[in-house]
Amino acid sequence: MKRVKLVVAYDGTAYHGWQFQPGSRTIEGELNSALGALLQEEVQVIGASRTDSGVHALCNVAVFDTDTRIPADKISYALNQRLPEDIRIQSSEEVEGDFHPRHCNSRKTYEYRILNTRFPIPTKRLYAHFTYVPLDVQKMRQAAAYLTGEHDFKSFCASGAVVESTIRTIYELSVEKTGDEIVIRVCGSGFLYNMVRIIAGTLMEAGRGNISPENVKTILEAKNRQMAGPTAQACGLTLVKYDFLSQ
């Protein structure tokens, strides 16, 4: 047996997230099915990031075990012939048998895109959150500054999520505007369920003037989901970078 690592890009619009769900189209389900047909064996991929329904990725990582004689670096080419057009393998390679993408020291970077213009632009409707209310980018940056570093992000975790700890570290959090598009870029060691989308929703509340940037500190300290802003739409979120620092 050998372990193969895949780097997977996908448009999440048509899928109920990464994780396999009986009766629903998921990224994991499509990969398992295509790999099973290609290798003629039962395959269960292990994903690094279990993205939500409608969320996109440029570089999610998955591994699987196989006894195929197909060279690992050639699997990407063969697999792309069997996958739907909105899922594409960017690379495939053999890794150590104990490599597990969720047990490694890593950094994930997400981008959340906001279209802040008078009317929606149809070609961006699947990849950006639209709001016609003017957003003050400077206030959004001021609010974002309170979220960098290690904190208890319980206020930014979806209610009902079951986790051992809600403490996470954000290494970088920036807000940039180009034309009518605002991009929130966040890099961290890991994220709670809906955490990035709740951060985006909260920063937009600061940008609209509904909360002051200083309120973000109070929201963090409250450890109460009801204190933070709404969960922003899934379509604006993309996993753009995945760095493995050590195993």
Side-chain angles (χ1 to χ4, degrees), residues 14-22 24-31 87:
Y15 299 92
H16 288 78
W18 171 275
Q19 194 164 7
F20 177 78
Q21 300 174 50
S24 298
R25 289 189 76 199
T26 66
I27 305 299
E28 186 177 58
E30 294 290 335
L31 289 173
I87 305 175

Side-chain angles (χ1 to χ4, degrees), residues 111-158:
E111 286 185 353
Y112 194 87
R113 294 185 176 272
I114 304 162
L115 182 64
N116 193 197
T117 188
R118 193 173 184 181
F119 298 109
I121 297 175
T123 56
K124 294 187 177 182
R125 74 191 189 283
L126 302 179
Y127 311 106
H129 173 107
F130 166 73
T131 179
Y132 64 86
V133 179
L135 298 177
D136 186 325
V137 173
Q138 187 57 34
K139 287 184 178 179
M140 293 174 70
R141 288 175 181 150
Q142 291 169 0
Y146 290 95
L147 298 175
T148 56
E150 183 181 275
H151 302 285
D152 187 333
F153 283 95
K154 188 172 183 179
S155 293
F156 294 86
C157 179

Side-chain angles (χ1 to χ4, degrees), residues 32-231:
N32 288 343
S33 177
L35 282 166
L38 172 65
L39 305 177
Q40 294 298 297
E41 60 188 49
E42 185 174 345
V43 175
Q44 297 289 330
V45 300
I46 301 170
S49 183
R50 289 170 283 192
T51 52
D52 298 337
S53 178
V55 174
H56 317 294
L58 301 181
C59 58
N60 207 346
V61 174
V63 297
F64 66 93
D65 296 322
T66 178
D67 59 7
T68 184
R69 298 179 66 181
I70 301 174
D73 63 331
K74 302 299 182 186
I75 290 176
S76 55
Y77 296 94
L79 190 55
N80 280 335
Q81 299 300 314
R82 295 177 177 271
L83 287 167
E85 290 184 339
D86 48 9
I87 305 175
R88 280 294 176 267
I89 308 304
Q90 302 301 297
S91 66
S92 57
E93 62 176 321
E94 187 171 354
V95 293
E96 295 294 328
D98 61 351
F99 175 81
H100 192 300
R102 292 202 295 271
H103 296 166
C104 297
N105 184 11
S106 63
R107 292 187 179 187
K108 304 176 188 178
T109 302
Y110 282 91
E111 286 185 353
Y112 194 87
R113 294 185 176 272
I114 304 162
L115 182 64
N116 193 197
T117 188
R118 193 173 184 181
F119 298 109
I121 297 175
T123 56
K124 294 187 177 182
R125 74 191 189 283
L126 302 179
Y127 311 106
H129 173 107
F130 166 73
T131 179
Y132 64 86
V133 179
L135 298 177
D136 186 325
V137 173
Q138 187 57 34
K139 287 184 178 179
M140 293 174 70
R141 288 175 181 150
Q142 291 169 0
Y146 290 95
L147 298 175
T148 56
E150 183 181 275
H151 302 285
D152 187 333
F153 283 95
K154 188 172 183 179
S155 293
F156 294 86
C157 179
S159 300
V162 180
V163 292
E164 291 182 4
S165 172
T166 50
I167 295 174
R168 294 293 186 273
T169 301
I170 291 182
Y171 301 110
E172 299 176 21
L173 179 52
S174 64
V175 183
E176 301 295 337
K177 183 174 184 179
T178 303
D180 292 322
E181 191 168 77
I182 298 169
V183 178
I184 299 169
R185 186 178 177 92
V186 55
C187 173
S189 58
F191 298 95
L192 300 164
Y193 185 48
N194 283 348
M195 179 174 161
V196 178
R197 291 166 59 192
I198 297 170
I199 287 174
T202 303
L203 295 186
M204 281 191 276
E205 287 296 281
R208 293 184 181 108
N210 293 338
I211 63 172
S212 68
E214 296 76 15
N215 281 154
V216 173
K217 185 175 185 294
T218 303
I219 292 169
L220 266 175
E221 293 171 348
K223 302 176 186 178
N224 181 347
R225 171 65 188 95
Q226 300 304 313
M227 295 288 290
T231 304

